[in-house]
Amino acid sequence: MRRLPPVLLEDGCPRELISLIRTVLAACKEISFRVGQGALSGVLGSTLDENIQGETQKKLDVLTNQLLKDILLESGYVKAIASEEEDFTVAGNPDANYIVAFDPLDGSSNTDINSLVGTIFSIMAAPEGSDPADPSIFMQPGKNQVAAGYVLYGPSTVLALTTGKGTRFFTLDKTHGTFLLTQDFASVPEETSEFAINASNQRHWQPAMQNYINDLIAGVTGPRGRNFNMRWIAAMVGDVHRVLCRGGIFTYPTDTKDPNKPNKLRLLYEANPMAMLIEQAGGIASTGTERIMDIQPDAIHQRVAVILGSKNEVETCLSYHK
Ligand code: F6P
């Protein structure tokens, strides 16, 4: 089985970028160990704090953020970082060429029930001559990403990674601490009969999404003429992994539940990296009105609607939005 650096070298990936990806993965191996220790590590449960987005921080949110932040900044490979758990961007090495945005532990409420969680990351080139302390270096559309991935901490620890030449899966060999290539070129099936949405928000969705989901639920007797199945892991990383493995449509649409927060998922470190992984596997990632990776960000913690997955099903969903 091939290891990470040879595979990326074959792709013509710059050595500095490979070193940066290895640095992210070094932190993820440590996170995998801590998450795997569960209650034994004494880090389950919540802190008394909230992050800038008003969400109660889990102890593991804080710990995993610190781990990634320290390892990345000490490595010298990053000009700046942006994290879900940091109010502002953090400056790194002024001479470095890359910036990293990450969600250190997506789905962290799942830690208390021993269910799926993961780390999501997005890497872009820093504009030449830019100031590491200037947050505007992160205001680049997702199509500028040079690498994106997640590490899913499940029964096995799996890395999904793209550097723009397809999406690959690697599995952490916990005996040797190495990510080994276990699937070259993941491909999202174009057709699916599986959808993922938090259906408890149904009454708050816009009419387009209400109509689309109603037609799925109507099943064989409805306009779609077949039955659909529903799955919801409550961790985007787990739902997207399922979509990458066997197809499906995953959506967190705009809703009116909280007028101050019409969208839930964050553009820079959730929607963009997942969109790149999905597109590189032949799927589609949209907000309902535009391609996610075309959005010009205007804030670090900006939120967007997300509709992604199997090509034909996402296109059908988008046709309801026209
Ligand atoms: O980061 C936000 C997130 O935890 C996603 O990973 C997940 O898809 C979603 O929120 C779950 O939302 P809800 O709490 O509505 O089920």
Side-chain angles (χ1 to χ4, degrees), residues 215-231:
D215 288 353
L216 298 188
I217 291 172
V220 73
T221 55
R224 300 297 303 274
R226 60 193 166 97
N227 292 327
F228 284 79
N229 194 18
M230 202 197 86
R231 289 282 180 269

Side-chain angles (χ1 to χ4, degrees), residues 55 84 103 105-109 120 197-198 200-201 232-239 250-252 257 264-266 269-270 303:
E55 298 160 342
E84 179 185 7
D103 179 351
L105 202 65
D106 178 57
S108 55
S109 64
I120 310 173
I197 192 165
N198 183 343
S200 69
N201 293 327
W232 188 248
I233 291 175
M236 184 190 198
V237 69
D239 282 308
F250 164 86
T251 176
Y252 213 113
K257 199 164 146 189
K264 174 139 193 188
L265 301 179
R266 274 57 58 105
Y269 42 81
E270 291 179 322
R303 296 172 188 265

Side-chain angles (χ1 to χ4, degrees), residues 4 28 39 60 83 91 119 153 157 186 206 220 246 253 293 296:
L4 195 62
C28 291
L60 270 170
S83 163
T119 300
Y153 311 110
T157 293
Q206 294 171 330
V220 73
R246 68 176 189 213
M293 289 202 290
Q296 174 59 49

Side-chain angles (χ1 to χ4, degrees), residues 22-285:
R22 289 184 76 150
T23 305
V24 172
L25 298 181
C28 291
K29 285 181 207 171
E30 180 65 23
I31 295 173
S32 172
F33 175 73
R34 300 287 184 102
V35 169
Q37 288 287 90
L40 300 179
S41 65
V43 290
L44 299 186
S46 301
T47 65
L48 297 174
D49 297 327
E50 283 188 347
N51 63 19
I52 194 171
Q53 301 160 69
E55 298 160 342
T56 306
Q57 284 181 307
K58 294 280 181 192
K59 288 181 193 163
L60 270 170
D61 285 324
V62 176
L63 184 110
T64 54
N65 181 56
Q66 199 62 48
L67 260 170
L68 267 159
K69 185 174 152 183
D70 289 348
I71 292 181
L72 278 169
L73 294 178
E74 277 163 22
S75 75
Y77 293 122
V78 280
K79 187 163 227 172
I81 58 161
S83 163
E84 179 185 7
E85 304 303 336
E86 297 283 335
D87 296 359
F88 308 106
T89 61
V90 183
N93 176 5
D95 299 324
N97 292 313
Y98 296 104
I99 54 175
V100 183
F102 58 83
D103 179 351
L105 202 65
D106 178 57
S108 55
S109 64
N110 278 354
T111 50
D112 294 339
I113 57 164
N114 196 25
S115 189
L116 293 180
V117 287
T119 300
I120 310 173
F121 58 93
S122 158
I123 303 178
M124 289 193 278
E128 221 167 291
S130 53
D131 175 359
D134 179 0
S136 74
I137 58 180
F138 283 91
M139 299 300 105
Q140 304 183 44
K143 61 188 171 200
N144 287 8
Q145 291 172 108
V146 292
Y150 61 75
V151 176
L152 177 69
Y153 311 110
S156 58
T157 293
V158 173
L159 160 71
L161 178 68
T162 180
T163 54
K165 302 233 165 88
T167 292
R168 294 183 171 111
F169 293 139
F170 300 79
T171 304
L172 179 61
D173 173 356
K174 292 186 182 171
T175 318
H176 300 102
T178 316
F179 280 98
L180 297 176
L181 181 69
T182 40
Q183 191 181 339
D184 226 348
F185 306 115
S187 167
V188 181
E190 291 190 355
E191 295 289 345
T192 184
S193 293
E194 206 159 64
F195 67 100
I197 192 165
N198 183 343
S200 69
N201 293 327
Q202 176 148 26
R203 67 190 185 284
H204 305 293
W205 299 332
Q206 294 171 330
M209 192 53 82
Q210 299 252 9
N211 295 336
Y212 169 68
I213 297 292
N214 280 341
D215 288 353
L216 298 188
I217 291 172
V220 73
T221 55
R224 300 297 303 274
R226 60 193 166 97
N227 292 327
F228 284 79
N229 194 18
M230 202 197 86
R231 289 282 180 269
W232 188 248
I233 291 175
M236 184 190 198
V237 69
D239 282 308
V240 170
H241 189 65
R242 185 187 59 256
V243 170
L244 278 171
C245 289
R246 68 176 189 213
I249 180 167
F250 164 86
T251 176
Y252 213 113
T254 301
D255 64 45
T256 55
K257 199 164 146 189
D258 174 354
N260 297 317
K261 206 174 83 179
N263 297 306
K264 174 139 193 188
L265 301 179
R266 274 57 58 105
L267 176 61
L268 293 195
Y269 42 81
E270 291 179 322
N272 270 341
M274 294 312 202
M276 185 172 180
L277 289 163
I278 288 286
E279 284 196 10
Q280 285 291 319
I284 298 181

